[in-house]
Amino acid sequence: MAITPAALEEGVVADATGAEPVAGKSPTQIALRRLRKDKVAMFCAFLVLVMTVLAILAPVITGAMNIYWDVSHPDAPTGSEVLDVYGFPIIGPPFNGFTWEHPLGLAPRTGSDNLAYLLYGLRTSMIVAFSAAVLSTFIGVVIGLVSGFSRGWVDRVLSFITDMFLSFPSLLAMLALAPIIVSHFGGNLDLLGTVQFVTLIVILVIFGWMSLARLIRGQVLSLREREFIQAAEVIGVPTRQILFKELLPNLIAPIVITLSLNLPAFVALEAGLSFLGLGLSDIPSLGKMVSDARTYYSDYPLFLWVPVAAIGVLTLALNLLGDSVRDAFDPRTRR
Amino acid sequence: MRFRKPIVALSAAGLLALAACGGGDGGSSNNGGEKVDRETLGNVGSGQDPEREGPVEIEGAQEGGIATVYTQVGLTTSIDPSDLYYTDTSAIGSGLLFRSLTQYDRDPETGQMVLIPDLATDLGTPNEDFTEWTFEIRDGVRWETGEEVTAEDVAYGIIRSMDNKTFPGGPGLYFSNPYFLGGDKYKGPFTSGTTEQEAVSVDGNKVIIKMSKPFPDFPYYGSFPAMGPIPEGEDDPDEYALRPMSTGPYKIKEYTPAKTLVLERNTEWDPATDPGRTQYPDGYEFKAGVQIDQIDQIMLGDKGEGQTSMTYEDISAQTYRTMQNEAPDRVVTGTSPCTYYYAPDYRKIKDIKIREALMWALPYNDLMVTGGYIPEVNAFPASQLMAPGVAGRVDIDLFGHGEFETDPDKAKQLLEESGNLGYEIKFPWRTDNDINTKSKDVLIKALEAAGFKATPVATTEAKFEGDIIDNPDSEVNVRSGMGWCQDWPSGSTWIPPVFQSVDIKELGQFGTNYAAFNEPEVDQKINEVFELPAEEQADAWGKLEEEIMTKYLPIIPYFHSGVVVAHGSKIQGYEIDNNLGMPAYKDIWISE
Amino acid sequence: MAGYIVRRLLSAALVVVLTSMFVFALFFLGPANAARPLCDLNGRCNPEKLALLTEQLGLNDSVVNQYGIWAKGLVSDREIVFGPTFHCDAPCLGISYSTRGEVTTELFDRFPATISVAIGGGALYLVIGVVLGVVAAARRGTVVDRGLVAASLVIYSIPFYVVALVAWIFFSLEWGIFPDTTYHPISEGVGPWFWGLLLPWLVLGFTNSTTYARYTRGQMVETLGEDYIRTATAKGVRRSKVLFKHALRAAIVPVITLFGLDFAYLLTGTIFLEQIFQIDGIGRWAIEALRDPIDFPVVSATVLVGAIVIVVANLLVDIFYSFIDPRVRLA
């Protein structure tokens, strides 16, 4: 889900340096210390860490457990070995007891292992969300900085573009863009998977940078009037140095906050796009798993609830963590 | 996939001689979700009853109600009678809207389709060598406008079917032009610009059609809506395709291609003139483009409007399982005269050992489960092209291959012996089709296990037909998911269309020989069978099929298909027209 | 005042025009031939068929001309040729490749469904959100407040479509509380329309209200700290009157602004709702149209309409705002 203006409005950090001064500590250090004391944040961080490790270790875990999401793998069981004529697994849930061979059961009709699929799905989610968050943050910061620092027509043009992207029906546009981008590279099968993957990240970035750009621009506009920046300008410090050496350090807080709130938004959006059937066709994705499992809600509930829970827990943990990060960097929001 | 486009048959077989063989083998369409009697698969529509008269009454049937019919892919092709040649629209057209020379009716006792008269007073009168057919058009049949349907209207409709350039999707290209006198030169009223031609003439209330070669099967062709009346002068092809005029019990109220088709009662239809059709529901509403899982859900739920709904899409195995337990009386099974197969490209895969290895390698049961088919319900193991029950068919022993048997070791051994280990199989993969994407993985695994190299070639649902199936230059060397349905129950509508060679260079496509099979010896033998006396042809087709399959193995048979559909609790009399594998609309009524 | 509105209208129009150009460019400038999807329909696409369609669709023309023809269709009738000739009444957004019907006609058919979902859901979450926000602010620091804040955070954090899916499965399918959840045109009666959409509205209302609850709470807390509120309280004005009359009046303005800005988000929500509850609105139409072969006229029309809705919503909010808060006009 795209980050809503409301969440941002609340996250507006009028003055990052306004945190209470403690001798010898940078604002970031102070924020981190505050974060460490926050139990909810620590628990969520732990959850996120566990899921990240699981995602990174997915090949190792599935290898050790001898489970496969990809039914074309030579060692994966064939459909007729593990499924009945109606496509339901003959071992494990939903009709038979728990088995360690397939702790979360097998997918109906294909016999791919749900745990393995889940782990690889997490991997996809995280890679997509992380890449998209970093890239969109980068673009947002650059556009925000340039737009805020350069008065005049550059600012006006950039602001207009930002507003225009904001008034775009982003989900529709993403849905429309994806197949068009892919179709330009279509036909080449070796590339197809990669193209879909990159396309997904690209469209998330295209419609994900605006809020940060606006935020940064606002920050820069106010910082620009501050003495230390004006002094730097007067003594002839090069613009680039002012931007990156003087301004950027003061923008750490909004950047970190946006980044941490964008991560869960991109996780949700990636899953949402594949849920709508227009994401990745041949790469495991949690959203696609939910979409596949929709019709099994009563015959094979576990098949549906596993990916639903995974998306829920991941986005919840990331969001709560992001919220705590915001509180830590800007204590004034906690009223 | 539903094999919507049926048949191209180039038959001159004496079907009349076979008529006596059909029917009487017990029902092959039964309620209650029981398994289908395999022996009667394809044993359809060979019964005839030239004496049948209207009106038809169904005992206990009530009038009223609107039947909603859901489909996923339907209504995307033209419903102009001259252009009607897909199973779904053909069933709707001839069941409810368009009358033609003859028609099929389902015999409730045997479950078989019986050919009976429609606009003609009988099943037509041939001359001695079947080169001229005379049909007497009955009186009292009216258009939906109230005007009388004349022999001239019928004759014009038949002439119009010869315009295969204007109606490239229609059956005329395969039957009218090849068989009608002068059909190779006359190209129809729009392309040739005149209705002057040699084949069709009118004498009083008789329509006479002259053939360029013997066509004993004409009464069967007469059941196609293309062999019915068209109002001359009001039939601009583009406009008429959107609003064709009705002669049947229903007329079109609203039609949006690929979306909806709403039918209402045609008050001008007189049941006394129609030996086959009925008019119990007030109307039909066809809704296309509805996703399969949504249709299943409506059928399962049986709530509100769902109670008066039906579908002709196969329900999923999962839904079948549930409905068998909860509402077995709302599941209808039946047969369709179609066979699915894998078509190795004969030009590329020249060694029969590779084709045999492919037969052993294919993961039949895995594909079945992933594809959502239910073995012995809507998929029956196949080891040949002709469906069981076709007269003259011989059960073929394909190199000792068992039913749905997969033996990768045997396949590997064959590849090793012939020095083809690691042979690359390139097959189509429709990336936007979830089920096909999963089947692709299943196929890769099985092929690699059998010592092949498996390479899927990406395409999409929409480009599948054009880029892969009909494209001789495609890089694939095995076409998967191919199917063939008979036009009528004769070996002549199976063997020639699939196994007769086609000049691919000249035609730019395969015609209907998707394996690009080309053996002069086989072509020669097909022609020899056509020259046999009518009564000997059935057995000859059976023998020829055995010879082709065991000597060349041009295709890898996958399964003979069945139909498993569902309806709401108020829909009554829903049975399968097993000549089309579609609903027998003529028998449907709605209870209160 | 009038000057401001005129300026604002002009910029809104500019955004819409640019969006339409962008959408147009997206489909007609890309390396893939825009005639290809049409060509793939109804049998094999061979080079002659493709060439003919390319010619008929006017794709050989310069893009500027094509755009001009397209834009002209918005105000005057057009003839469109691919295969047969189609007459397309103004405002013409083209002929759908798959149904061969006028896109505008179908758009008007489907628009009420989307708007019904959006307006009902939007109104619901605005009301629920504001009420919860005021309650939380009034009882600041208590269990109620903390509970509301925590609950809203949790609901906000779970993707919206997951909540919708779960609600659909349990409330509609399993428990049958809302058995007939779908869109009935209001012409079939207000009752079926209301009951059919109630579940989607509730889902939209509850999930999105959390954002508004938090935001309203924040605004209220700030306002309640203002001097004039203290004065009012000190003067003995009733607490409820202070809350709803004095404080909320000031706090609601930014909330309404947010509501307007959130319209893009609301549209996203309705797309998921339409898909999950099988409501035939604009979103579902767009998704169907995007399946290969892409139905370009439909896709471009839906994106354009989405953009117009968002721009108009923002415009209305800005104008509304300028009436309430005179400072805006200076900006």
Side-chain angles (χ1 to χ4, degrees):
Chain A
M1 209 107 318
I3 180 164
T4 74
L8 277 173
E9 291 284 336
E10 248 188 282
V12 169
V13 187
D15 187 351
T17 51
E20 62 252 57
V22 175
K25 288 211 163 72
S26 78
T28 310
Q29 282 172 316
I30 297 164
L32 284 178
R33 212 178 70 177
R34 246 187 246 132
L35 203 57
R36 270 196 295 275
K37 282 191 198 145
D38 185 336
K39 283 192 198 112
V40 175
M42 283 299 102
F43 180 69
C44 289
F46 173 73
L47 272 182
V48 171
L49 187 70
V50 168
M51 283 192 272
T52 312
V53 170
L54 283 176
I56 291 171
L57 293 181
V60 181
I61 298 169
T62 53
M65 293 183 67
N66 200 26
I67 53 178
Y68 306 90
W69 71 267
D70 177 8
V71 290
S72 70
H73 192 280
D75 295 333
T78 63
S80 51
E81 279 166 21
V82 290
L83 305 173
D84 66 16
V85 291
Y86 303 114
F88 286 98
I90 49 176
I91 46 169
F95 303 132
N96 302 288
F98 176 83
T99 163
W100 273 111
E101 278 174 65
H102 304 287
L104 296 177
L106 292 163
R109 289 175 77 157
T110 58
S112 96
D113 185 273
N114 289 344
L115 177 62
Y117 196 95
L118 186 75
L119 292 175
Y120 275 90
L122 267 180
R123 215 173 143 88
T124 310
S125 283
M126 289 188 162
I127 294 174
V128 169
F130 188 76
S131 325
V134 168
L135 283 173
S136 63
T137 304
F138 177 76
I139 293 176
V141 167
V142 169
I143 291 188
L145 272 180
V146 172
S147 157
F149 197 76
S150 64
R151 305 144 213 251
W153 66 270
V154 176
D155 177 30
R156 246 176 282 153
V157 168
L158 286 176
S159 296
F160 184 78
I161 291 175
T162 312
D163 284 350
M164 203 177 115
F165 270 89
L166 272 175
S167 62
F168 230 66
S170 55
L171 186 67
L172 277 178
M174 282 186 209
L175 292 173
L177 260 178
I180 287 165
I181 298 179
V182 171
S183 78
H184 293 171
F185 297 89
N188 191 339
L189 191 70
D190 300 329
L191 274 179
L192 184 73
T194 323
V195 167
Q196 284 186 332
F197 202 78
V198 173
T199 303
L200 189 58
I201 295 173
V202 167
I203 56 175
L204 289 179
V205 171
I206 291 180
F207 294 100
W209 56 270
M210 296 86 72
S211 14
L212 183 64
R214 261 190 168 185
L215 197 63
I216 295 288
R217 175 177 170 271
Q219 293 286 297
V220 173
L221 281 180
S222 80
L223 282 173
R224 209 178 49 187
E225 306 305 322
R226 298 277 288 270
E227 292 82 354
F228 72 103
I229 299 292
Q230 287 182 333
E233 275 184 83
V234 169
I235 60 174
V237 178
T239 311
R240 188 191 295 174
Q241 207 171 334
I242 296 181
L243 282 176
F244 293 101
K245 283 269 162 69
E246 307 289 340
L247 278 173
L248 203 54
N250 285 297
L251 296 169
I252 294 287
I255 291 172
V256 169
I257 291 167
T258 312
L259 190 63
S260 62
L261 286 173
N262 265 345
L263 265 176
F266 285 137
V267 168
L269 201 50
E270 182 271 319
L273 284 172
S274 36
F275 173 78
L276 292 176
L278 291 140
L280 308 158
S281 66
D282 208 21
I283 295 170
S285 153
L286 297 178
K288 207 165 66 185
M289 195 172 176
V290 174
S291 171
D292 281 353
R294 254 194 300 187
T295 56
Y296 287 92
Y297 70 92
S298 94
D299 291 336
Y300 190 175
L302 184 72
F303 183 43
L304 174 63
W305 299 126
V306 161
V308 165
I311 296 173
V313 170
L314 183 58
T315 49
L316 184 61
L318 282 171
N319 260 315
L320 292 182
L321 185 61
D323 203 62
S324 299
V325 167
R326 178 173 63 198
D327 285 348
F329 275 90
D330 182 17
R332 293 180 322 132
T333 56
R334 178 172 283 175
R335 284 189 280 240
Chain B
M1 279 309 290
R2 178 168 304 282
F3 197 63
R4 294 177 314 166
K5 183 156 189 169
I7 345 318
V8 186
L10 308 157
S11 150
L15 237 150
L16 294 177
L18 298 178
C21 309
D25 287 340
S28 74
S29 167
N30 48 9
N31 263 319
E34 288 156 37
K35 290 188 173 169
V36 174
D37 180 5
R38 249 203 243 177
E39 287 311 304
T40 60
L41 275 170
N43 186 7
V44 294
S46 47
Q48 295 187 345
D49 181 0
E51 311 292 321
R52 192 80 66 87
E53 289 295 333
V56 180
E57 267 179 50
I58 301 171
E59 220 180 291
Q62 296 164 347
E63 294 212 345
I66 305 253
T68 311
V69 187
Y70 290 98
T71 160
Q72 180 174 29
V73 291
L75 304 183
T76 50
T77 54
S78 171
I79 59 164
D80 185 311
S82 307
D83 216 8
L84 209 60
Y85 196 33
Y86 285 76
T87 51
D88 55 348
T89 42
S90 290
I92 297 167
S94 59
L96 304 169
L97 294 172
F98 310 125
R99 299 186 64 172
S100 51
L101 293 172
T102 61
Q103 63 177 321
Y104 276 105
D105 188 43
R106 186 177 175 279
D107 181 340
E109 275 166 39
T110 63
Q112 301 300 332
M113 300 306 287
V114 181
L115 193 68
I116 59 170
D118 189 355
L119 285 175
T121 51
D122 55 17
L123 293 177
T125 315
N127 65 356
E128 208 163 282
D129 61 352
F130 301 106
T131 51
E132 187 180 302
W133 282 89
T134 307
F135 291 88
E136 189 182 330
I137 304 304
R138 66 176 80 228
D139 293 330
V141 179
R142 290 187 300 272
W143 290 103
E144 60 173 277
T145 53
E147 276 169 66
E148 188 88 5
V149 173
T150 62
E152 280 77 15
D153 292 337
V154 179
Y156 177 69
I158 295 172
I159 293 168
R160 195 175 184 254
S161 76
M162 293 162 86
D163 204 325
N164 62 44
K165 202 171 164 216
T166 310
F167 308 110
L173 174 63
Y174 309 109
F175 300 111
S176 299
N177 297 92
Y179 286 105
F180 290 6
L181 189 62
D184 50 342
K185 292 193 290 287
Y186 176 68
K187 293 296 175 195
F190 303 104
T191 308
S192 293
T194 168
T195 54
E196 290 295 315
Q197 37 74 48
E198 300 165 70
V200 188
S201 56
V202 176
D203 176 16
N205 64 345
K206 290 193 180 75
V207 175
I208 300 144
I209 305 127
K210 292 195 184 71
M211 303 294 151
S212 58
K213 52 188 169 186
F215 191 22
D217 288 355
F218 200 110
Y220 289 95
Y221 185 39
S223 71
F224 284 64
M227 293 294 106
I230 299 282
E232 190 177 353
E234 298 163 42
D235 62 328
D236 174 71
D238 290 334
E239 282 163 27
Y240 201 70
L242 294 172
R243 184 63 179 81
M245 214 189 275
S246 163
T247 48
Y250 295 90
K251 59 182 176 184
I252 297 169
K253 189 178 173 189
E254 197 188 313
Y255 170 52
T256 314
K259 210 181 148 205
T260 52
L261 173 64
V262 184
L263 307 182
E264 62 184 354
R265 276 179 199 277
N266 174 11
T267 47
E268 296 296 333
W269 174 78
D270 178 1
T273 64
D274 199 323
R277 297 178 184 81
T278 59
Q279 194 191 39
Y280 289 103
D282 287 336
Y284 284 85
E285 192 172 345
F286 293 86
K287 292 186 179 174
V290 188
Q291 296 300 304
I292 291 283
D293 52 345
Q294 196 183 339
I295 298 175
D296 279 17
Q297 194 192 307
I298 294 167
M299 295 303 145
L300 268 174
D302 194 34
K303 284 176 202 138
E305 206 185 82
Q307 294 180 331
T308 55
S309 298
M310 54 189 274
T311 179
Y312 55 77
E313 301 289 351
D314 277 16
I315 53 174
S316 70
Q318 183 204 350
T319 307
Y320 176 69
R321 182 182 154 275
T322 314
M323 287 193 79
Q324 226 185 357
N325 292 330
E326 291 171 9
D329 55 323
R330 294 198 288 111
V331 178
V332 181
T333 57
T335 58
S336 61
C338 302
T339 300
Y340 285 68
Y341 59 89
Y342 281 75
D345 195 319
Y346 204 72
R347 300 166 301 170
K348 296 176 182 165
I349 305 183
K350 293 200 168 83
D351 191 339
I352 186 175
K353 294 281 176 198
I354 301 176
R355 296 197 293 275
E356 196 192 332
L358 187 62
M359 176 182 76
W360 292 104
L362 287 180
Y364 303 95
N365 287 306
D366 301 340
L367 286 170
M368 200 91 330
V369 172
T370 305
Y373 293 105
I374 316 159
E376 305 290 331
V377 174
N378 64 354
F380 306 86
S383 50
Q384 62 202 95
L385 180 67
M386 283 203 259
V390 175
R393 177 184 184 267
V394 183
D395 280 326
I396 297 175
D397 174 21
L398 271 189
F399 309 94
H401 182 250
E403 293 188 344
F404 287 157
E405 185 185 0
T406 305
D407 187 341
D409 296 332
K410 184 135 188 185
K412 200 174 243 170
Q413 196 193 332
L414 281 164
L415 288 179
E416 257 164 19
E417 280 170 12
S418 60
N420 285 307
L421 203 61
Y423 187 86
E424 187 178 19
I425 298 287
K426 295 180 178 172
F427 61 96
W429 162 38
R430 287 161 276 157
T431 55
D432 53 346
N433 179 324
D434 270 354
I435 292 169
N436 190 252
T437 299
K438 288 169 187 160
S439 300
K440 169 215 68 177
D441 291 333
V442 170
L443 205 52
I444 292 178
K445 178 182 159 69
L447 290 174
E448 306 247 309
F452 284 105
K453 180 175 186 294
T455 310
V457 176
T459 182
T460 62
E461 200 65 67
K463 295 189 184 79
F464 181 53
E465 210 175 312
D467 281 5
I468 307 280
I469 300 303
D470 284 344
N471 177 10
D473 303 323
S474 160
E475 58 180 308
V476 301
N477 58 12
V478 172
R479 287 176 173 77
S480 53
M482 305 311 305
W484 188 252
C485 310
Q486 68 183 20
D487 267 327
W488 44 78
S490 158
S492 65
T493 71
W494 288 99
I495 306 298
V498 181
F499 293 138
Q500 196 160 42
S501 72
V502 164
D503 190 339
I504 295 169
K505 279 209 187 81
E506 165 86 27
L507 207 63
Q509 54 170 327
F510 296 114
T512 52
N513 180 346
Y514 296 114
F517 181 62
N518 187 344
E519 285 293 337
E521 188 202 348
V522 170
D523 289 343
Q524 173 67 28
K525 286 193 169 157
I526 288 175
N527 289 334
E528 282 170 22
V529 176
F530 276 126
E531 278 156 28
L532 289 174
E535 62 276 10
E536 288 172 31
Q537 290 191 4
D539 289 337
W541 288 125
K543 282 213 191 65
L544 180 57
E545 183 186 28
E546 185 175 28
E547 194 184 325
I548 296 170
M549 289 303 288
T550 51
K551 192 168 171 191
Y552 302 106
L553 193 66
I555 58 164
I556 318 293
Y558 180 16
F559 65 88
H560 303 304
S561 73
V563 178
V564 53
V565 293
H567 59 84
S569 53
K570 288 181 179 168
I571 296 280
Q572 307 293 336
Y574 184 1
E575 298 289 351
I576 297 302
D577 168 347
N578 54 15
N579 189 45
L580 292 171
M582 283 284 152
Y585 291 105
K586 294 167 189 173
D587 298 336
I588 286 169
W589 55 281
I590 297 167
S591 60
E592 299 210 339
Chain C
M1 186 68 172
Y4 169 74
I5 292 176
V6 167
R7 252 187 297 142
R8 194 62 192 73
L9 272 173
L10 283 178
S11 92
L14 185 60
V15 170
V16 170
V17 169
L18 284 176
T19 305
S20 74
M21 284 179 175
F22 178 79
V23 169
F24 201 81
L26 201 65
F27 298 128
F28 294 90
L29 264 188
N33 187 339
R36 185 60 207 257
L38 190 60
C39 187
D40 283 329
L41 283 166
N42 297 325
R44 185 172 175 206
C45 176
N46 56 37
E48 298 87 60
K49 191 176 162 194
L50 188 65
L52 179 69
L53 285 169
T54 309
E55 178 62 37
Q56 286 181 336
L57 288 174
L59 294 172
N60 294 331
D61 224 354
S62 78
V63 185
V64 181
N65 278 349
Q66 288 179 53
Y67 180 77
I69 293 170
W70 179 84
K72 205 179 147 205
L74 292 175
V75 288
S76 65
D77 292 7
R78 250 179 92 188
E79 298 281 322
I80 294 173
V81 184
F82 51 85
T85 306
F86 297 93
H87 182 78
C88 182
D89 293 323
C92 171
L93 290 169
I95 300 285
S96 158
Y97 290 177
S98 70
T99 67
R100 316 230 148 177
E102 285 181 36
V103 171
T104 323
T105 315
E106 176 125 15
L107 188 69
F108 287 133
D109 264 9
R110 287 175 175 261
F111 199 62
T114 300
I115 280 298
S116 296
V117 173
I119 298 279
L124 200 60
Y125 69 61
L126 187 61
V127 171
I128 298 178
V130 169
V131 170
L132 287 181
V134 172
V135 170
R139 308 198 191 276
R140 194 177 157 206
T142 65
V143 184
V144 178
D145 177 30
R146 267 179 290 163
L148 276 175
V149 170
S152 75
L153 191 57
V154 170
I155 294 174
Y156 167 77
S157 301
I158 298 171
F160 165 72
Y161 55 86
V162 170
V163 179
L165 184 66
V166 172
W168 176 65
I169 285 173
F170 284 111
F171 291 104
S172 185
L173 297 178
E174 285 284 84
W175 301 334
I177 301 173
F178 300 95
D180 186 33
T181 291
T182 183
Y183 172 72
H184 299 281
I186 206 156
S187 54
E188 285 177 19
V190 177
W193 173 79
F194 181 82
W195 292 111
L197 290 179
L198 188 57
L199 185 58
W201 284 342
L202 287 175
V203 169
L204 201 57
F206 273 102
T207 49
N208 285 22
S209 65
T210 57
T211 313
Y212 286 84
R214 286 170 85 190
Y215 192 56
T216 310
R217 180 183 169 279
Q219 292 296 326
M220 283 292 284
V221 167
E222 203 165 283
T223 319
L224 287 173
E226 302 270 345
D227 291 340
Y228 73 95
I229 297 290
R230 274 189 223 138
T231 315
T233 312
K235 271 168 62 186
V237 176
R238 257 184 300 120
R239 176 74 172 155
S240 61
K241 200 174 174 189
V242 170
L243 277 178
F244 286 96
K245 187 143 188 229
H246 295 265
L248 185 59
R249 221 167 151 184
I252 196 102
V253 174
V255 175
I256 298 285
T257 314
L258 182 65
F259 184 69
L261 291 174
D262 247 5
F263 232 80
Y265 182 67
L266 182 58
L267 277 188
T268 301
T270 54
I271 293 174
F272 280 104
L273 284 175
E274 285 174 15
Q275 194 68 3
I276 289 168
F277 292 105
Q278 295 155 1
I279 294 165
D280 281 321
I282 305 276
R284 200 142 193 261
W285 192 31
I287 290 171
E288 276 164 22
L290 281 164
R291 293 217 168 84
D292 196 71
I294 299 177
D295 198 338
F296 281 135
V298 173
V299 173
S300 51
T302 48
V303 175
L304 187 64
V305 167
I308 290 174
V309 168
I310 293 167
V311 167
V312 169
N314 287 346
L315 184 68
L316 289 179
V317 163
D318 280 357
I319 293 174
F320 164 81
Y321 207 62
S322 71
F323 275 105
I324 292 188
D325 190 345
R327 284 172 299 175
V328 176
R329 268 170 271 156
L330 302 173

